[in-house]
Amino acid sequence: MSSAEGFVERLVTPAIGEEIFALAAEIFPICRSITGDGVRRTLAHLRRHAALEVREVASGASVFDWTVPDEWNLHEAYIADAQGRRVIDARVCNLHVMSYSEPVRTRLPLAELKRHVHSLPDQPTLVPYRTSYYQRGWAFCMAHEQLAALPEGEYEAVIDATLAPGRLTWGELLIPGREPDEVLLSTHICHPSLANDNCSGLALLTHLARRLATAKPRLSYRILMAPGTIGAIAWLAQAGPGVQRIKHGLVLSCVGDGGGPAYKRSRRGNALVDRAMAHVLGKGWPDPVLLDFSPYGYDERQFCSPGFDLPVGMFQRGQFGKFPEYHTSADNLAFIAPEHLEASYRTIVSALDVLERDRRLVSTNPFCEPQLGRRGLYAGIGGDKNAPSLNMAMLWTLNLADGAHSLLDMAERSGHPFGEIAAAAERLERAGLLVPAA
Amino acid sequence: MSSAEGFVERLVTPAIGEEIFALAAEIFPICRSITGDGVRRTLAHLRRHAALEVREVASGASVFDWTVPDEWNLHEAYIADAQGRRVIDARVCNLHVMSYSEPVRTRLPLAELKRHVHSLPDQPTLVPYRTSYYQRGWAFCMAHEQLAALPEGEYEAVIDATLAPGRLTWGELLIPGREPDEVLLSTHICHPSLANDNCSGLALLTHLARRLATAKPRLSYRILMAPGTIGAIAWLAQAGPGVQRIKHGLVLSCVGDGGGPAYKRSRRGNALVDRAMAHVLGKGWPDPVLLDFSPYGYDERQFCSPGFDLPVGMFQRGQFGKFPEYHTSADNLAFIAPEHLEASYRTIVSALDVLERDRRLVSTNPFCEPQLGRRGLYAGIGGDKNAPSLNMAMLWTLNLADGAHSLLDMAERSGHPFGEIAAAAERLERAGLLVPAA
Amino acid sequence: MSSAEGFVERLVTPAIGEEIFALAAEIFPICRSITGDGVRRTLAHLRRHAALEVREVASGASVFDWTVPDEWNLHEAYIADAQGRRVIDARVCNLHVMSYSEPVRTRLPLAELKRHVHSLPDQPTLVPYRTSYYQRGWAFCMAHEQLAALPEGEYEAVIDATLAPGRLTWGELLIPGREPDEVLLSTHICHPSLANDNCSGLALLTHLARRLATAKPRLSYRILMAPGTIGAIAWLAQAGPGVQRIKHGLVLSCVGDGGGPAYKRSRRGNALVDRAMAHVLGKGWPDPVLLDFSPYGYDERQFCSPGFDLPVGMFQRGQFGKFPEYHTSADNLAFIAPEHLEASYRTIVSALDVLERDRRLVSTNPFCEPQLGRRGLYAGIGGDKNAPSLNMAMLWTLNLADGAHSLLDMAERSGHPFGEIAAAAERLERAGLLVPAA
């Protein structure tokens, strides 16, 4: 009884969770930062699945209030003891070096070294993730219990990195639909080996883009994978007035863990994407979290800045900053799972389905109910255990088909899932009882 | 201290519950369906109390998307065993025959007979009520335990009925008020011997019409007793643009049991009748049920179809389909009671009182409070135990008498019952402190 | 980090609670009524602190629907027993005589005397407070247990008072601000020796006026101390169209006890003063009481009459009429305390601070976030334990600085205290990131 046109049926494939997980695992080891080869290499992996364009802007370029920073590339980083044994090595775990550390090669006593080491006394077995993009310096990150156990003595600290004019890189893909209105789907590409934040988002969005590209959607979809903050700002700076084609948007953050899900509304608070996500979460999850917009989080901060005020919300599972694995070495491949990735994917696709299919219809028989029985509209679903619900969905759709209510309005008012209302509307349209509103 | 003009004081008479019950009992035995002599005979009984006009439309007439069906009249129906003993007989209980059964006179073995018998395995002592208006066939209804106990053998099944072109009948009465705006009061007239659904509604509405006819109301009242669905559709089809005079409306359903009460809002959701019913139920009942409109129920479905969108709600006690006696032989005269009928009547009259008396007034002393004491408006009620509440009602009425607030607005905002606000307004109007808004 | 311009920092001084208490204690013994020397003497005390003008209107003057009553002055009042021993004496407690009692000098037996004595059987040790402004008569008030213990016999009842044409008196002070828009701050001056109701309000408002007078406020402040009801009406009657300059207002009632606090909204319900008080109470108190307007209470009744409909709310601690000491001799100096007076004062000042500083700003960098780090706006507060909250306040302020949101809108939406938002706005304005909205 479900609609042949539904996105869920067309875009959710049986092994989708496994496929997303495999791609996340593939890009997990790469050392990414907000610039550098790590981003380029990651995009090369993703381009095997979706035709992302690689776009760049030079260091020093002005992007609104900001300047594109120098490009950072890490070749090697380690701490070695007096015997030359490597205590930590970025080859083992790229979190060990603070992102954007300046090059250094020095010998120094333990006490002095400790001033350049970040650790987590409350999570003593985990390596923290630290960055210093806009303040020069160098530092290492290591497990607190390892740091505490280091014997006194002299150590060698080596960060072989380049921090010099270069380029900032992002991936972008426009999937044209039948209409020019765009849906922006964005995730950041700047974190090193963190699985949930945000290999999960990159992998999910790549597989979604791949399927959208062949789905002949009504709306156009703009896929964006840009480094956090500066990348989104650089993209917006070059996007020009075309940004106004964005009619709906979602930022994807941590989508592979078993938490939440949580949806953070756009600054507007009641945009169609906000209502679609609230509806889909309310129907599909036992205890979803709906958060009002706040100007802190991922790149929805930029898309929702007052000059743009784009209708862009943010979807995540566990809320960033709130799960203990966040920004530590515990955010690894064991922390994400195919079933969570699939559930996130399915939820996003369900919301896109609302955006795709929401529309206004008018009844061709607005005076009294039309007689459904003689058209076989009751009988045709007699053997279906969902028949009472589908019958009610038809009655609701006919009753509210006054041109003022969209299908999502009907779903919200009636309590029926959007998919049931949309299926009822298509059935009634085929029977000539509904026509598109003028 | 209460207003001499209040509908409650004028329309609620001491024996009203008993009178309604007696009339319901009088029409209970008649075998009604959506057409036929049962409707005409019922109207003949009701016309002894209220001057209902009998109106008809011919079978085959087109009414919006529907066609008026053939007229059905039952003369006799029974199942007899091989010895000629009548197992069930519609003369004993007219629920035994499915309404709109085609004529049949046949002998058949038990197994075959059972394919033509409806029963309720979960309520084995009760006879169900079944209809088949738009699909030809014949069937009997009987208690499941009686059915189960039938010995094997051959049975005679007789339904002596006519199903042929004729007329569909309804009762209608317009009680003109001082103003042409109409209140539609409607109940269905198509169920056979079911006491609550809806002999109760027919009897209550008849006695209400009788009293309204002499009450010199402000509004005009249109009383409608039409067969469910097709009757309401036929009435709307012939009503023409006059239907737009309907400014408020109530469909009455099961009003004689001790459940609820429940009020289902009109499609508009915030029409004056919706607010009046919510106010009256909130003030008069400990735990009333307020339901949002849904396109399933009684004839509010038709009145609230999108082309009409009339402000018509539905009042019932127990919610139809939810009480176990619904559409069974247990919905008999023992299931309804005079006190419940009176309470329903009183609630409806209280809501009509709001519709009658709601209006906008302006203060003749809008700057600061007028001095009530020197006009005896405080003193005059000094000995009344309700004095503090009535004083507050006066202060509220004066404060909100800005032409923007109606009396119901004042009642809602202040928390006072509408009757207290209306009484205060009349007292203040007599004292020259309030005048009608322009 | 807090703003140098905040009212709280400028108007709340360390000993403010003690100072208000001392002034309340000073005026406590004076026998006030709605007219007479008690009002004049009270104003003389208050004028030592704030330059209140004393204004008067003659008895017999018409003020809207009312007439200014004769002036009442009490010289002596007592009941003496047959031996001439004074049973009660207004010199001991001026509550012993009903306000506006006519002069009387008579001897009468106990039974007859009792018809002229008010007492509180449920609070047998307390003297009630009674008035009879508009109905002539005389009466005493005494503790019920004292009344019950009076031996039979003849008593002398003496009320040496004058009730004759004179004047009604109020105190008023306009503190001009940089803008002509006015804040009305009003409390009644008519109760005799009742400490909370309302020596507390008079003393608090006097000390507030004193500090406002040197605070160079943006708004103009009109301080009004008029006798309840008739005084407010008389003031409004002579105020003319100038009353429309009042853009915000607060009536202060019992502000010295430890109850509440409670704020009663203006008739408009969502005036800026209503929102400011709700915000300040929500941020500063664990369990504040927010009450909708009702036309019963203090002089907000007159300011909120429909012809004026001024945005004037009422602030109190314990709700009048609800605490057991209300209108009895237990409302004495032991019932109020410096810390409660200070807390009330601080709350009022915090709300005035919102009125003073609420404004609309626009971002000079509306596209994407401005880079705060390079301006030292993050770093500058690095050592502050409130830094995360202040950083968030900056992000919110920048995000909502679209000219459509005022600072209070931002505080309400973000959940930050108004003071934090205002401080963030000032910091950002100094950095050139915000400018006033056109």
Side-chain angles (χ1 to χ4, degrees):
Chain A
M1 286 304 101
S2 56
S3 162
E5 276 74 34
F7 254 26
V8 178
E9 294 77 6
R10 288 153 64 203
L11 302 189
V12 181
T13 48
I16 186 73
E18 301 289 351
E19 290 176 55
I20 296 170
F21 184 87
L23 183 54
E26 185 180 320
I27 61 174
F28 178 74
I30 301 170
C31 180
R32 281 165 294 269
S33 184
I34 54 170
T35 60
D37 288 331
V39 175
R40 293 184 196 102
R41 268 191 288 142
T42 302
L43 288 171
H45 281 267
L46 304 181
R47 290 179 70 205
R48 290 179 205 148
H49 302 278
L52 292 155
E53 286 181 64
V54 178
R55 307 197 49 188
E56 301 200 311
V57 60
S59 299
S62 280
V63 289
F64 294 120
D65 194 50
W66 300 63
T67 302
V68 174
D70 281 348
E71 181 175 327
W72 184 71
N73 283 294
L74 179 69
H75 309 116
E76 187 176 43
Y78 61 85
I79 295 171
D81 64 14
Q83 289 70 43
R85 283 179 304 220
R86 294 198 176 184
V87 172
I88 55 171
D89 187 332
R91 273 177 215 157
V92 175
C93 169
N94 56 33
L95 302 180
H96 277 315
V97 61
M98 180 175 78
S99 195
Y100 262 67
S101 282
E102 293 184 297
V104 70
R105 182 177 299 268
T106 186
R107 303 186 75 87
L108 69 185
L110 180 62
E112 206 173 318
L113 174 68
K114 282 185 172 176
R115 294 209 301 273
H116 289 274
V117 177
H118 295 285
S119 68
L120 299 168
D122 292 342
Q123 295 175 297
T125 64
L126 304 183
V127 182
Y129 163 55
R130 288 290 181 275
T131 69
S132 188
Y133 302 136
Y134 301 103
Q135 194 167 356
R136 293 280 164 124
W138 61 269
F140 291 88
C141 301
M142 63 193 287
H144 192 71
E145 69 180 24
Q146 186 184 11
L147 179 65
L150 286 185
E152 290 297 328
E154 199 173 63
Y155 289 85
E156 183 188 18
V158 174
I159 298 178
D160 176 8
T162 54
L163 182 50
R167 298 183 302 280
L168 177 143
T169 310
W170 72 82
E172 184 173 358
L173 169 61
L174 178 67
I175 301 166
R178 301 193 300 279
E179 300 179 12
D181 285 354
E182 291 181 15
V183 181
L184 174 69
L185 298 174
S186 166
T187 195
H188 55 289
I189 183 165
C190 52
H191 285 40
S193 293
L194 297 169
N196 199 33
D197 182 14
N198 201 2
C199 294
S200 71
L202 292 165
L204 186 152
L205 189 47
T206 300
H207 274 289
L208 177 56
R210 174 184 167 184
R211 282 158 181 78
L212 282 169
T214 60
K216 300 189 195 306
R218 178 175 73 84
L219 298 165
S220 299
Y221 288 81
R222 186 171 295 274
I223 311 297
L224 179 64
M225 296 172 181
T229 305
I230 186 66
I233 293 170
W235 181 79
L236 282 162
Q238 57 84 57
V243 82
Q244 295 307 327
R245 282 194 296 267
I246 295 171
K247 295 298 188 287
H248 324 280
L250 273 180
V251 169
L252 306 185
S253 147
C254 310
V255 294
D257 66 297
Y263 176 71
K264 173 179 156 182
R265 295 183 183 91
S266 75
R267 182 179 184 270
R268 300 184 187 180
N270 202 24
L272 188 62
V273 68
D274 299 321
R275 294 171 53 209
M277 283 299 303
H279 179 77
V280 163
L281 289 175
K283 291 294 168 194
W285 292 88
D287 200 21
V289 178
L290 287 169
L291 302 163
D292 281 330
F293 177 77
S294 85
Y296 190 69
Y298 289 92
D299 286 330
E300 70 280 3
R301 293 163 70 157
Q302 312 310 330
F303 304 129
C304 295
S305 57
F308 292 115
D309 195 22
L310 295 174
V312 176
M314 193 261 279
F315 176 79
Q316 58 191 334
R317 298 295 300 273
Q319 291 173 56
F320 78 91
K322 295 204 168 176
F323 51 87
E325 296 83 357
Y326 179 74
H327 278 195
T328 74
S329 53
D331 182 359
N332 55 35
L333 291 170
F335 182 53
I336 65 172
E339 66 261 34
H340 304 322
L341 291 161
E342 177 178 341
S344 297
Y345 179 89
R346 182 182 289 273
T347 296
I348 292 161
V349 164
S350 299
L352 298 182
D353 184 54
V354 176
L355 302 179
E356 282 284 316
R357 294 205 285 170
D358 192 36
R359 58 201 169 117
R360 288 179 153 69
L361 295 161
V362 290
S363 172
T364 55
N365 285 266
F367 299 104
C368 300
E369 293 175 358
Q371 196 178 6
L372 298 179
R374 68 172 164 87
R375 293 177 174 86
L377 289 171
Y378 275 126
I381 53 180
D384 189 323
K385 75 176 164 54
N386 297 319
S389 186
L390 291 174
N391 279 343
M392 277 308 297
M394 279 196 291
L395 292 177
W396 271 112
T397 305
L398 285 166
N399 186 271
L400 296 179
D402 54 9
H405 292 83
S406 77
L407 297 187
L408 181 57
D409 293 332
M410 297 176 188
E412 289 176 341
R413 180 160 178 183
S414 69
H416 286 266
F418 178 84
E420 269 186 31
I421 293 289
E426 281 157 21
R427 167 187 288 268
L428 293 166
E429 208 173 356
R430 285 196 298 273
L433 290 170
L434 295 181
V435 292
Chain B
M1 284 306 101
S2 56
S3 161
E5 276 74 35
F7 253 27
V8 178
E9 294 78 6
R10 289 152 67 202
L11 301 189
V12 180
T13 49
I16 185 72
E18 300 289 351
E19 290 175 55
I20 296 169
F21 184 87
L23 183 54
E26 186 180 320
I27 61 175
F28 178 76
I30 300 171
C31 180
R32 282 166 292 270
S33 184
I34 54 170
T35 61
D37 288 331
V39 176
R40 293 184 197 100
R41 268 190 288 142
T42 302
L43 287 171
H45 281 267
L46 304 182
R47 290 179 70 205
R48 290 178 203 148
H49 302 277
L52 292 154
E53 286 181 63
V54 178
R55 308 197 47 191
E56 301 198 310
V57 60
S59 300
S62 279
V63 288
F64 296 119
D65 193 51
W66 301 63
T67 302
V68 174
D70 281 349
E71 181 175 328
W72 184 71
N73 283 292
L74 179 69
H75 309 116
E76 187 176 43
Y78 61 87
I79 295 172
D81 65 14
Q83 287 71 42
R85 286 179 303 222
R86 294 197 175 184
V87 173
I88 55 171
D89 189 332
R91 272 177 216 157
V92 176
C93 169
N94 56 35
L95 301 181
H96 279 314
V97 63
M98 180 176 79
S99 196
Y100 261 68
S101 281
E102 295 184 296
V104 70
R105 182 175 300 269
T106 188
R107 302 188 75 87
L108 69 185
L110 179 61
E112 205 174 318
L113 174 67
K114 281 185 172 178
R115 294 209 303 273
H116 289 273
V117 178
H118 296 285
S119 69
L120 299 168
D122 292 341
Q123 295 176 297
T125 64
L126 304 182
V127 182
Y129 163 56
R130 289 288 181 276
T131 69
S132 188
Y133 301 137
Y134 301 102
Q135 195 168 355
R136 293 282 164 123
W138 61 270
F140 291 87
C141 301
M142 64 193 287
H144 192 71
E145 68 180 24
Q146 186 184 12
L147 179 64
L150 284 186
E152 291 297 327
E154 197 173 66
Y155 289 87
E156 184 189 16
V158 173
I159 298 178
D160 177 8
T162 54
L163 182 51
R167 297 184 302 281
L168 176 143
T169 310
W170 71 83
E172 184 174 357
L173 170 60
L174 178 68
I175 302 167
R178 302 194 299 281
E179 299 178 12
D181 285 353
E182 290 182 14
V183 182
L184 174 69
L185 299 174
S186 166
T187 195
H188 55 288
I189 183 166
C190 52
H191 286 40
S193 293
L194 296 170
N196 199 33
D197 180 18
N198 200 4
C199 294
S200 70
L202 293 165
L204 186 152
L205 189 48
T206 300
H207 274 288
L208 177 57
R210 174 184 167 185
R211 282 157 181 79
L212 281 169
T214 61
K216 299 189 197 305
R218 177 174 75 85
L219 298 165
S220 299
Y221 288 80
R222 185 171 296 273
I223 311 296
L224 179 64
M225 296 171 181
T229 305
I230 186 66
I233 293 170
W235 180 79
L236 281 162
Q238 57 83 59
V243 82
Q244 296 306 327
R245 281 195 298 268
I246 295 171
K247 295 297 188 286
H248 324 278
L250 273 179
V251 169
L252 307 184
S253 146
C254 310
V255 295
D257 65 298
Y263 176 70
K264 173 178 154 183
R265 295 183 184 92
S266 76
R267 182 178 183 272
R268 299 185 189 180
N270 201 26
L272 188 63
V273 67
D274 299 320
R275 294 171 53 209
M277 284 299 304
H279 179 78
V280 163
L281 289 175
K283 292 294 168 193
W285 292 87
D287 200 22
V289 178
L290 287 169
L291 303 163
D292 281 330
F293 176 77
S294 84
Y296 190 69
Y298 289 92
D299 287 329
E300 69 279 3
R301 293 164 69 156
Q302 313 310 328
F303 303 131
C304 294
S305 57
F308 292 116
D309 195 23
L310 295 174
V312 176
M314 192 262 278
F315 176 80
Q316 58 191 333
R317 298 294 301 272
Q319 290 173 57
F320 79 90
K322 294 204 170 176
F323 52 85
E325 296 84 357
Y326 179 74
H327 278 194
T328 74
S329 53
D331 182 359
N332 55 37
L333 291 170
F335 182 54
I336 66 173
E339 67 261 34
H340 304 322
L341 292 160
E342 177 178 341
S344 297
Y345 180 89
R346 181 181 290 273
T347 296
I348 293 160
V349 164
S350 298
L352 298 181
D353 184 54
V354 175
L355 302 179
E356 281 284 316
R357 294 205 285 170
D358 191 37
R359 59 202 169 117
R360 287 178 154 69
L361 295 161
V362 290
S363 171
T364 55
N365 286 266
F367 299 104
C368 299
E369 292 175 359
Q371 196 179 6
L372 298 179
R374 67 171 165 87
R375 293 177 174 88
L377 289 171
Y378 274 126
I381 52 180
D384 189 324
K385 74 174 165 55
N386 296 320
S389 186
L390 292 174
N391 279 343
M392 276 308 297
M394 279 196 292
L395 292 177
W396 270 112
T397 306
L398 285 166
N399 185 270
L400 295 179
D402 54 9
H405 291 83
S406 76
L407 297 186
L408 181 58
D409 293 333
M410 297 176 188
E412 289 176 341
R413 181 161 176 182
S414 69
H416 285 265
F418 178 85
E420 270 186 28
I421 292 288
E426 282 157 19
R427 165 187 289 267
L428 293 165
E429 208 173 358
R430 286 195 298 273
L433 289 171
L434 294 180
V435 292
Chain C
M1 285 308 99
S2 55
S3 162
E5 276 74 35
F7 254 27
V8 178
E9 294 76 8
R10 289 152 66 202
L11 301 189
V12 181
T13 49
I16 185 72
E18 300 289 350
E19 291 176 54
I20 296 169
F21 184 87
L23 183 54
E26 185 180 319
I27 61 174
F28 178 75
I30 301 170
C31 180
R32 282 166 291 271
S33 184
I34 54 170
T35 60
D37 288 330
V39 175
R40 293 185 197 98
R41 269 191 287 141
T42 302
L43 287 171
H45 281 267
L46 304 181
R47 291 179 69 204
R48 290 179 205 148
H49 301 277
L52 292 154
E53 287 181 63
V54 177
R55 308 197 48 189
E56 301 199 311
V57 59
S59 300
S62 280
V63 288
F64 295 119
D65 194 51
W66 300 62
T67 303
V68 174
D70 282 349
E71 182 175 326
W72 185 71
N73 282 294
L74 179 69
H75 309 115
E76 188 177 43
Y78 62 86
I79 296 172
D81 65 14
Q83 288 72 41
R85 286 179 301 223
R86 294 196 176 184
V87 172
I88 55 171
D89 188 333
R91 273 178 215 157
V92 176
C93 169
N94 56 34
L95 303 180
H96 278 314
V97 62
M98 180 175 79
S99 195
Y100 262 67
S101 280
E102 294 183 297
V104 71
R105 183 176 300 271
T106 186
R107 303 185 76 85
L108 68 185
L110 181 62
E112 206 174 315
L113 175 68
K114 283 185 170 175
R115 295 209 301 273
H116 289 273
V117 177
H118 296 285
S119 69
L120 299 167
D122 292 343
Q123 295 176 296
T125 65
L126 304 182
V127 183
Y129 163 55
R130 289 288 182 274
T131 70
S132 187
Y133 303 136
Y134 301 103
Q135 195 167 356
R136 293 282 165 123
W138 61 269
F140 292 88
C141 302
M142 64 193 289
H144 192 72
E145 69 181 23
Q146 185 184 13
L147 179 64
L150 285 185
E152 293 295 329
E154 199 173 63
Y155 290 86
E156 184 189 18
V158 173
I159 297 178
D160 177 7
T162 54
L163 183 50
R167 296 183 302 282
L168 176 143
T169 309
W170 72 83
E172 185 174 357
L173 170 60
L174 178 68
I175 301 167
R178 300 194 300 280
E179 299 179 11
D181 285 354
E182 291 181 13
V183 181
L184 175 69
L185 298 174
S186 167
T187 195
H188 55 288
I189 182 166
C190 52
H191 286 39
S193 294
L194 296 170
N196 199 33
D197 181 14
N198 202 359
C199 295
S200 70
L202 292 165
L204 187 153
L205 189 48
T206 299
H207 274 288
L208 177 57
R210 174 184 168 186
R211 282 157 181 78
L212 281 170
T214 61
K216 300 190 195 306
R218 178 175 73 85
L219 298 166
S220 299
Y221 287 81
R222 186 171 295 275
I223 312 296
L224 179 65
M225 296 172 181
T229 305
I230 185 65
I233 293 171
W235 180 80
L236 281 162
Q238 58 83 57
V243 82
Q244 295 308 326
R245 282 193 297 267
I246 296 171
K247 295 298 187 287
H248 323 280
L250 272 180
V251 169
L252 307 184
S253 146
C254 310
V255 294
D257 65 298
Y263 175 72
K264 174 179 154 182
R265 295 184 183 91
S266 75
R267 183 180 185 270
R268 299 185 189 180
N270 201 24
L272 188 62
V273 67
D274 299 320
R275 294 173 51 209
M277 284 299 303
H279 179 78
V280 163
L281 289 175
K283 292 294 167 193
W285 292 87
D287 200 21
V289 178
L290 287 168
L291 303 163
D292 280 329
F293 177 77
S294 84
Y296 190 68
Y298 289 94
D299 287 329
E300 70 279 4
R301 292 164 70 158
Q302 312 310 329
F303 303 130
C304 295
S305 57
F308 291 116
D309 195 21
L310 295 175
V312 176
M314 192 262 278
F315 176 79
Q316 57 190 336
R317 298 294 302 271
Q319 291 173 58
F320 80 89
K322 295 205 169 176
F323 52 85
E325 296 84 356
Y326 179 73
H327 278 196
T328 74
S329 52
D331 182 359
N332 55 36
L333 291 171
F335 182 53
I336 66 172
E339 66 262 34
H340 304 322
L341 291 161
E342 176 178 340
S344 296
Y345 179 88
R346 180 181 289 274
T347 296
I348 293 161
V349 164
S350 298
L352 299 182
D353 183 54
V354 176
L355 302 179
E356 281 285 316
R357 295 205 284 169
D358 192 35
R359 58 202 170 116
R360 287 178 155 69
L361 295 162
V362 289
S363 172
T364 55
N365 285 267
F367 298 104
C368 300
E369 293 175 358
Q371 195 179 5
L372 298 178
R374 67 171 165 87
R375 292 177 175 86
L377 289 170
Y378 274 126
I381 53 180
D384 189 323
K385 74 175 166 54
N386 297 319
S389 186
L390 292 174
N391 279 344
M392 277 307 296
M394 280 196 291
L395 292 177
W396 271 112
T397 306
L398 286 167
N399 186 269
L400 296 179
D402 54 8
H405 292 83
S406 77
L407 296 187
L408 181 57
D409 293 332
M410 297 177 189
E412 289 176 341
R413 181 161 175 182
S414 70
H416 286 265
F418 178 84
E420 269 186 29
I421 293 289
E426 282 157 20
R427 165 187 289 268
L428 293 166
E429 208 173 356
R430 285 195 298 274
L433 290 170
L434 295 180
V435 292

